[in-house]
């Protein structure tokens, strides 16, 4: 059930501190006014904003940013040349969890990927986030691969 009082839309530059506040700490609410936006964040946001294959999305209730995620659309030769969506940086404000907002955010993101023509949605999640893993499983996501990272 889509809540009409909420919007999922691309983040604006003025909302960058709110997004960074969500990413800064999962367990507490961080005041966006306390977030200093370093030049690296400015460059990253500008690159995401300028790229039609990337979206930094916010879930809002009026002016209040309740959640965020990033979707990257990737063409591929696998799965018959199907487009896929990679979802990352999923967060809901700590004081608003447990009320269905995470489900709302993810269901809308999956619908957006489907509308974009994607045949697959994939995401990664830190191995330490057991609650998040249960949540993603409840949405129908299946553990299918082991991921690897190489820090450069």
């Amino acid at each position: 059930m889509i809540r009409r009082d909420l919007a999922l839309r691309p983040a604006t530059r003025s909302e960058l501190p709110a997004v960074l506040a969500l990413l800064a700490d999962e367990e507490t609410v961080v005041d966006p006014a306390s977030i200093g936006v370093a030049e690296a964040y400015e460059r990253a946001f500008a690159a995401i904003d300028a790229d039609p294959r990337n979206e930094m999305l916010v879930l809002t209730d009026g002016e209040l940013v309740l959640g965020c995620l990033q979707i990257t659309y990737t063409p591929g030769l696998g799965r018959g040349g199907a487009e896929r969506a990679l979802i990352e940086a999923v967060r809901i404000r700590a004081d608003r969890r447990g009320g269905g907002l995470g489900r709302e955010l993810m269901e809308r993101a999956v619908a957006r990927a489907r509308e974009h023509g994607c045949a697959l949605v994939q995401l990664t999640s830190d191995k330490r986030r057991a609650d998040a893993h249960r949540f993603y499983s409840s949405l129908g996501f299946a553990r299918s691969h082991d991921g690897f990272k190489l820090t450069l």
Side-chain angles (χ1 to χ4, degrees), residues 20-21 25 49 51 103 121 124:
L20 294 175
D25 191 335
D49 196 42
D51 183 348
R103 181 168 298 278
V121 175
T124 60

Side-chain angles (χ1 to χ4, degrees), residues 45-65:
F45 182 82
I48 292 166
D49 196 42
D51 183 348
R53 292 200 161 275
N54 269 287
E55 295 184 299
M56 187 70 222
L57 302 175
V58 289
L59 184 69
T60 60
D61 183 357
E63 298 294 315
L64 182 61
V65 174

Side-chain angles (χ1 to χ4, degrees), residues 81-100:
E83 186 103 349
R84 65 186 65 214
L86 173 63
I87 296 179
E88 299 182 293
V90 179
R91 297 291 190 281
I92 293 291
R93 274 178 58 117
D95 63 344
R96 298 296 293 269
R97 289 201 196 115

Side-chain angles (χ1 to χ4, degrees), residues 2-140:
I2 293 181
R3 291 183 46 186
R4 302 279 179 227
D5 56 328
L6 302 177
L8 180 66
R9 58 171 176 70
T12 64
R13 166 51 192 91
S14 65
E15 292 166 327
L16 183 54
V19 170
L20 294 175
L22 289 171
L23 297 174
D25 191 335
E26 289 186 64
E27 304 305 321
T28 61
V29 176
V30 175
D31 180 2
S34 71
I35 299 293
V37 180
E39 187 178 325
Y41 291 124
E42 294 280 5
R43 281 194 310 272
F45 182 82
I48 292 166
D49 196 42
D51 183 348
R53 292 200 161 275
N54 269 287
E55 295 184 299
M56 187 70 222
L57 302 175
V58 289
L59 184 69
T60 60
D61 183 357
E63 298 294 315
L64 182 61
V65 174
L66 299 172
C68 68
L69 58 75
Q70 182 177 348
I71 301 180
T72 303
Y73 302 103
T74 307
L77 296 176
R79 296 185 177 263
E83 186 103 349
R84 65 186 65 214
L86 173 63
I87 296 179
E88 299 182 293
V90 179
R91 297 291 190 281
I92 293 291
R93 274 178 58 117
D95 63 344
R96 298 296 293 269
R97 289 201 196 115
L101 292 176
R103 181 168 298 278
E104 181 85 16
L105 175 65
M106 289 299 295
E107 287 176 352
R108 288 191 189 198
V110 168
R112 196 173 184 106
R114 191 175 286 115
E115 290 166 6
H116 191 85
C118 295
L120 177 74
V121 175
Q122 58 192 39
L123 57 83
T124 60
S125 182
D126 190 300
K127 287 185 175 194
R128 296 170 290 188
R129 299 182 70 212
D131 289 341
H133 302 167
R134 281 189 293 279
F135 170 67
Y136 295 133
S137 292
S138 79
L139 292 171

